[in-house]
Amino acid sequence: MSGGLLVAGTTSDAGKSVVTAGICRWLTRKGISVAPFKAQNMSLNSFVTREGAEIGRAQAMQAQAARVEPSALMNPVLLKPGSDRSSQVVLMGKPVGEMSARGYHGGRQQALLETVVGCLEELRGTYDAVICEGAGSPAEINLRRTDIVNMGIARAARFPVVVVGDIDRGGVFASFFGTVALLAPADQELVAGFLVNKFRGDVSLLKPGLDMLRDLTGRPTLGVLPFRHGLGIDEEDGLRVSLRGAVRESVVAPPVGADVLRVAVCAVPLMSNFTDVDALAAEPGVVVRFVDRAEELVDADLVVVPGTRGTVRALRWLRERGLADALARRAAEGRPVLGICGGFQMLGEHIEDDVESRAGSVDGLGLLPVRVAFRREKTLARPVGEALGERVEGYEIHHGVADVLGGEPFLDGCRVGAVWGTHWHGSLESDAFRRRFLTEIARAAGRRFVPAPDTCFEALREQQLDLLGDLVEEHADTAALLRLIESGAPAGLPFVPPGAPRVPSRAAPQVPPQAAPQVPPPGTPQAAPQVPPPGTPQAAPQVPSPGTPQAPPPGTPQMPPPGTAPPHHRPRP
């Protein structure tokens, strides 16, 4: 087959990641070998492949949906934000430096297109199909020139594009139409249809809108996926879309013991890999919540200080909000605290950081006998070990190197009393270890909580991936999707005006102040438009103004202006 498809979205969090995973699982169940691909991902939730490459967790989840081993080829560019204006650039699984948004979009991004296309071609040579995920919206016209993840990669690979819209947010028809209408003619040629996501109610009530959308754009809606709890697994950065959120929202089994166990996760700035607590929330009787106030730790049986891309910044945040003092009181009272990665580093005595924050010497919380020094080389590993008498697997992603000076050994970190710390992400997904750990926590907290003897986190994840595959198979036009994957976008898709605006030349002459404007401002009586309203046949502008839309190539089928009824709906004269 050696075909493919790009799943784009009207917005971030429209459901691209889960739809991509669902398509991968549906194709895999049909016996088609498939790989996921996202050219560029911006996320603080990442994963380490077996070859030691760092990629987005969403792509690792999609690889599991496809039942293939995750690879750096599936996410060649990963951006890990360190502030509002800069990110660490991870290329082919390895960090290559920090870069501002202006610097990245100003030239670096386009230079990566060759690498990105090469990875995609390698996957196409290995698998029957490649299902690509876009980022944000393909209609971000300010970034189109340097785009390598939406229409840039679709154009390079000649992949058809399906646009996903979240109807639960409202405005999905305007979002679909506007997305297409803001694309250049050559990009529009690849947009083959739409997928409505998170629909609640009677789908027959939606049908008139879908018919009108097809009349307006010349493109079909290829499915209406119903709203389901428990679909958001290992997505990018939305707290509510992790497995934790999904399990908390759905009906779960009652606790096995007499008590529940309450877990509070400190919502530190630049929090990374918050999916570490998903396995806790999968346990019947465990209630997980994210907190940012000291008083919210009072009734918690376990407090988790999670990983972060800004350890020193998060440490300052803990102190400013009184959470640092609350953690110290918990430790003094023998009440459980678990630090993971950056959280582990903050629980230590001292941090020397001339790499991430460049803050130099900083005192930690002093709850564990650990001193941390940041190194430019990033540790990327898939360790296997033992704790509490059980086998544990995890993965490591950190610049800080911990020198453990005492305490009881715990997953390459240490434990002192009820305070635990480790660099290992994902350790709680090891079922037997998680049960032993929760038993220890319940005993320290004085709770009559008993872990369920048969909770299997891997099985729960597989159930969710099968649910995604079911949604695609049962509610999407799978025959049409398969045709797109095999044969590409159909020829003759109409152009939807106005198209992408022209980008003004940097050398364009400046208009003298006295020359602007020639037409009185809006609201002046004599300022009636010189151009007839949309839908009038002779309504073509006589004089182009700056930002005039690009004209479609000669012979391109063109849709009527917005608001104009298609020919078969127009009243006869």
Side-chain angles (χ1 to χ4, degrees), residues 44 266-272 307-311 313-315 317-318:
L44 289 172
C266 296
V268 297
L270 298 175
M271 180 166 44
S272 61
T308 172
R309 174 80 166 87
T311 300
R313 175 179 168 181
L315 185 56
W317 181 87
L318 289 175

Side-chain angles (χ1 to χ4, degrees), residues 65 175 180 207 242 245 267 303 308 330 375 394 396 443 446 451 465 511 537:
S175 299
V180 178
K207 188 176 186 304
S242 68
V303 174
T308 172
R330 288 187 66 88
R375 301 285 184 260
E396 295 183 66
R443 182 163 47 246
L465 294 172
V511 178

Side-chain angles (χ1 to χ4, degrees), residues 5 23 26 162 195 222 472 476-486:
L5 178 75
I23 293 174
W26 161 62
V162 174
L195 270 173
L222 301 173
V472 170
D477 186 344
T478 53
L481 287 175
L482 202 55
R483 283 195 301 271
L484 290 176
I485 293 168
E486 292 175 341

